[in-house]
Amino acid sequence: MGSDSEGRWKDIDRLLLRPGNLVGPDFEPGPELRDSLQNFFRVLVIGAGGLGCELLKDLALSGFGNIDVIDMDTIDVSNLNRQFLFRMQDVGRPKAVVAAERVMQRVKGVNVIGHFGRIEGKEDDFYRQFHIIALGLDSLEARSYINSVTCSFLEYKADGSPDPSTIVPMVDGGTEGFKGHARVIIPGITPCFHCTLWLFPPQTTYPLCTLAETPRSPAHCIEYVHLIQWNQEWVGQTFDADNPDHMKWVYEQALKRAEIFSISGVTYSLTQGVVKNIIPAIASTNAIVAAACALEALKVATMCCKNMDNYMMYVGTQGIYTHTVSYEKDPNCLVCSAGALMEVDSSVSLQKFLDLLLEDPRFKDKLSKPSISHQGNNLYMQAPPVLEELTHPNLTQPLFELMGRAGGILNVNDKKLKGVLRIHVVFQGITNAVNMNPVGGD
């Protein structure tokens, strides 16, 4: 970026070169901050749609020099009205790859790497290498997955405080028509996505009798094909909303059903919106929310200002209205807390403890074959066979002897989990054992 004309970064320098009353606690003004942004910091943008395009542009123009972007979708003609990095000749190409190319063409000196694929297809070490992760997603499931991955990196010290070196901050943005939100998630410090799942309203559902017998809208026709007709005609094949062939079939069948009941308005884009529960995107909302997210990313990276605390809502239906709320972290969150508390008798064996885990209603449907470690030591591993054989003798040993009288944190891994489940074990009847501060961790 040294080839840029003088003054290119003067607005950023005004934030990074001067002290102030609103700066973060560790802010040290100086030219090193911009150098760090351009050469050291790595940011991952997840999603290259309407919000993701805005995020990439804003981050590159804010001085971030090394950006990665991942998206599993290819460009469709319907994207071109708001996803401004794409052109007609790009239709059919991966969004992430094209977005990376366009940003590098327009912002000289920035390095953007596009990754075409599912976020679940990347190993945890891929996400661990980034200093900040910015989310431009339209799926609760995808947000939940990334939240679980980043929180699984989190480790706690003996005094119960999070280890700063294991924190990967997230900046999350989302839009629904003229409404949107931006939030900062610092695992272990602020509420994680799982802590505030209640913020998201349940998806719209329709009575099956209406879908089957008296459809009255295009959405009814689409949902009938999606929920009923698909299973009748494609027995044993799971519908994949991200498969273009599956979506095209639903659209064509919904169109036929709409004609039978004299219903108009079934389109391919509406089919996508109903099946994926997508609310039409507004370009201006994407721009406003992305700008807020990019600013928060800059704050996290440089501490040039205190971070948002911790959730901003934007409503543009009747003018411009924003409101920031400080939500509280759930101390018993199974994803980001120091550990879900379990009090057990000191005579309980490791095998009995595993049985208690599987019976605990808090972990229902979350565990099948758990493996357990403590302070970096594998107490029992379900796989591979060589580790199972090596740790199998521990199953008959008292957990008290394997962990020590103070109890502490057990890290539980399972193929059903998206991350690590931390369990804070306290032994009943042991003097001074009941201590809500976790002791140790992987």
Side-chain angles (χ1 to χ4, degrees), residues 325-386:
V325 181
S326 178
Y327 288 116
E328 295 185 1
K329 182 175 178 291
D330 181 359
N332 299 313
C333 178
L334 297 179
V335 178
C336 71
S337 70
L341 181 64
M342 282 191 69
E343 295 189 38
V344 297
D345 191 89
S346 59
S347 63
V348 164
S349 66
L350 180 57
Q351 179 62 67
K352 178 61 177 176
F353 180 78
L354 285 171
D355 295 339
L356 292 173
L357 267 182
L358 294 171
E359 295 168 2
D360 195 311
R362 293 176 296 175
F363 315 128
K364 183 181 179 181
D365 300 327
K366 291 184 173 64
L367 301 174
S368 58
K369 293 184 177 181
S371 297
I372 295 184
S373 62
H374 175 243
Q375 295 184 343
N377 298 316
N378 294 325
L379 300 188
Y380 179 66
M381 304 296 291
Q382 297 276 1
V386 62

Side-chain angles (χ1 to χ4, degrees), residues 108-353:
K108 300 301 181 183
V110 66
N111 180 44
V112 186
I113 301 174
H115 304 269
F116 176 47
R118 302 180 69 93
I119 55 177
E120 301 92 338
K122 295 292 186 181
E123 299 291 335
D124 287 355
D125 286 343
F126 171 77
Y127 297 104
R128 202 188 300 267
Q129 65 183 314
F130 297 101
H131 299 94
I132 301 172
I133 295 178
L135 308 182
L137 296 165
D138 60 3
S139 163
L140 298 185
E141 292 78 10
R143 283 190 179 94
S144 180
Y145 177 83
I146 292 298
N147 180 75
S148 297
V149 170
T150 55
C151 288
S152 72
F153 302 153
L154 183 63
E155 296 181 9
Y156 283 85
K157 299 178 181 179
D159 62 359
S161 62
D163 181 353
S165 66
T166 64
I167 294 176
V168 178
M170 290 181 290
V171 178
D172 171 46
T175 64
E176 289 187 350
F178 286 100
K179 299 178 182 180
H181 78 264
R183 71 159 88 181
V184 177
I185 299 176
I186 312 294
I189 298 176
T190 68
C192 76
F193 180 76
H194 193 268
C195 289
T196 54
L197 269 178
W198 54 269
L199 284 171
F200 295 89
Q203 295 185 356
T204 302
T205 59
Y206 304 98
L208 290 180
C209 58
T210 299
L211 299 181
E213 300 173 9
T214 57
R216 297 185 297 273
S217 70
H220 289 166
C221 299
I222 294 167
E223 283 290 70
Y224 173 83
V225 176
H226 172 219
L227 299 176
I228 300 174
Q229 191 172 339
W230 175 273
N231 293 325
Q232 293 173 346
E233 299 198 25
W234 300 94
V235 179
Q237 184 173 354
T238 303
F239 177 79
D240 183 358
D242 296 312
N243 187 318
D245 293 332
H246 291 194
M247 191 66 71
K248 182 181 178 182
W249 185 88
V250 171
Y251 162 63
E252 292 173 347
Q253 298 303 314
L255 195 60
K256 293 178 182 179
R257 183 169 177 80
E259 291 174 354
I260 294 173
F261 289 91
S262 301
I263 297 173
S264 61
V266 174
T267 64
Y268 184 77
S269 60
L270 178 63
T271 302
Q272 288 180 306
V274 171
V275 172
K276 293 186 174 184
N277 196 39
I278 297 173
I279 296 175
I282 306 298
S284 59
T285 308
N286 287 337
I288 291 170
V289 171
C293 290
L295 180 58
E296 293 306 316
L298 182 65
K299 293 178 186 178
V300 170
T302 66
M303 299 300 292
C304 63
C305 187
K306 297 175 183 177
N307 282 115
M308 174 196 303
D309 185 22
N310 47 50
Y311 188 100
M312 184 275 286
M313 296 176 290
Y314 162 75
V315 181
T317 49
Q318 296 179 342
I320 298 177
Y321 173 78
T322 62
H323 179 58
T324 303
V325 181
S326 178
Y327 288 116
E328 295 185 1
K329 182 175 178 291
D330 181 359
N332 299 313
C333 178
L334 297 179
V335 178
C336 71
S337 70
L341 181 64
M342 282 191 69
E343 295 189 38
V344 297
D345 191 89
S346 59
S347 63
V348 164
S349 66
L350 180 57
Q351 179 62 67
K352 178 61 177 176
F353 180 78

